[in-house]
Amino acid sequence: MRWLPRSLSGRLVIVFVGGLILAQLVSLSILLQDRGEFLARASGMQSVMRVVDILQLLDSSDASERDRIIRVLRSPQLKISLQASAVQVKREMLDPSAQETVFLSMLRHKLGSDREVWVNIRARTSAMPRGAPALEHGAHRVRTEGRGGSPVLVAHIRLQDGVWLSVDSTLEPQTMSWPYRALVSALVLLMAVIALAWFGVRWVTRPLKDFAQAAERLGENIDRAPLPEKGPTEVVSAARALNEMQARLSKYLSDRTRILTAMSHDLKTPITRMRLRAELLEHEVTQAKFKQDLAELEAMVSGTLDYMRGVQDGEPLQTTDINLLLKLLQTDSGELGHVVHIDGQAHSELLCRPQSLKRCLANLIENAVKYGEVAHVQITDSGQMLQIVIEDEGAGVAANELAMLFEPFYRVEGSRSRDTGGTGLGLSIARSIAVLHGGSLHAENTEHRGLRLTLRLPRASS
């Protein structure tokens, strides 16, 4: 699903908050139902007590006083009448509803089981004259479900002298109101839990984020500081495994670098002896070929040593003036007859390994002037990232060979001839130094078929 967040923390928050909202809705529906039933019972009990009081008053009064009492007690919400017959009453009570049964049980509880009582609930509508006695409209009884108007409780009770009392009492409409305080309380609880879930999930998933960042930095610098082994048990186990893997990789690379460096260094001695013996050859053509082969072999050995130093460099970090460093390289190239143009400048010094970075920039500029005659250096400093772009005016490189430029000992044939010299390690060394600084080196062809090398160095490099 596209609307789901991709992060683990975002998905956990959605699960927690969604479950909480669902639980709150279910709890609210139960609360409303229970509250409605409670209020209905409370309102019904009020009406029941009113009917009981009226019954007790009329039971204790003479027949001559009952009419006066009824006139005094009548109101728009309370209709009282007396009937001599119960025929109409029984016709209305043939099919009592659940609510009618509840009110009937409450009345019998107050009056006793030997009292004849009938209960009827209906809605007050325009079809029923408001001032008419309740028993005269039994045939037009309307159930409250699905109809407008306030529900009306009609109780039919036989007095001690046999006369039937009918009380038409309007139930209170407050049973339909919303529990706004409960809603506000639920909303406050929901917001508090959302906030706690957000901070709690971020606290739990923070070690995972650190673990992912450490794994990403491992590819940039194998000698970085080990990942702290803290957090949940699973994260601690993963961090410990990552640190052990880093230690093994670092040892493997260190051993390989040491072996290759020793081999390259030891090769210089026999190369020197072969060079001296080549001087003793009398045939000049053969001597020249031997010297050329030995020069290439020595260049490869020296390049390999430089490459190994670039891959694993123990030089300490120092703040370096990049503008001054590029000016020195421009001057050195000018003394060799090469043209280097510099445009832009760094706004501040860069924390880096000066000698390694100098070797990187020197290789890039040397590559540009060797194959493109002129090197154009463009400096862009964003405050967080220092970008140095070096372009040449050569013939460029085929698109399918751009990715291979940084491979050790790889040389582009055709446009860049082997006769120009080199071992194919210059760009590999430059990229290794860039990665050592936490940066990157990217190659692409320019619009004019020259080669553009883009070096990016973060200012937070370590």
Side-chain angles (χ1 to χ4, degrees), residues 270-282 287 290-291 294:
I271 290 174
T272 302
R273 289 199 303 265
M274 292 176 66
R275 185 185 296 278
L276 292 176
R277 291 172 181 173
E279 295 290 341
L280 301 177
L281 294 176
E282 297 179 357
Q287 185 186 59
F290 265 101
K291 288 183 178 181
L294 290 173

Side-chain angles (χ1 to χ4, degrees), residues 88-164:
Q88 183 67 30
V89 173
K90 294 180 180 180
R91 186 184 303 132
E92 289 184 354
M93 298 297 103
L94 292 178
D95 184 23
S97 66
Q99 194 173 10
E100 291 170 346
T101 304
V102 171
F103 281 108
L104 180 61
S105 64
M106 287 192 293
L107 279 172
R108 286 180 174 172
H109 176 72
K110 294 295 183 181
L111 299 175
S113 59
D114 57 338
R115 178 82 67 167
E116 291 188 63
V117 180
W118 303 91
V119 174
N120 176 218
I121 297 178
R122 59 191 175 190
R124 188 181 300 280
T125 63
S126 58
M128 180 173 66
R130 295 182 64 84
L135 284 177
E136 297 176 3
H137 302 282
H140 302 288
R141 179 163 62 108
V142 183
R143 295 298 176 97
T144 60
E145 291 86 348
R147 302 297 300 269
S150 300
V152 178
L153 170 64
V154 181
H156 311 290
I157 309 172
R158 188 176 63 83
L159 299 178
Q160 292 178 354
D161 57 2
V163 177
W164 283 87

Side-chain angles (χ1 to χ4, degrees), residues 124-199:
R124 188 181 300 280
T125 63
S126 58
M128 180 173 66
R130 295 182 64 84
L135 284 177
E136 297 176 3
H137 302 282
H140 302 288
R141 179 163 62 108
V142 183
R143 295 298 176 97
T144 60
E145 291 86 348
R147 302 297 300 269
S150 300
V152 178
L153 170 64
V154 181
H156 311 290
I157 309 172
R158 188 176 63 83
L159 299 178
Q160 292 178 354
D161 57 2
V163 177
W164 283 87
L165 169 66
S166 296
V167 180
D168 183 347
S169 176
T170 302
L171 296 177
E172 296 295 331
Q174 64 182 359
T175 58
M176 306 302 294
S177 63
W178 278 84
Y180 292 106
R181 291 187 177 181
L183 291 177
V184 172
S185 177
L187 182 61
V188 171
L189 176 62
L190 178 63
M191 298 303 296
V193 173
I194 288 176
L196 291 176
W198 175 255
F199 288 109

Side-chain angles (χ1 to χ4, degrees), residues 282-290:
E282 297 179 357
H283 197 280
E284 294 183 0
V285 177
T286 303
Q287 185 186 59
K289 290 181 179 180
F290 265 101

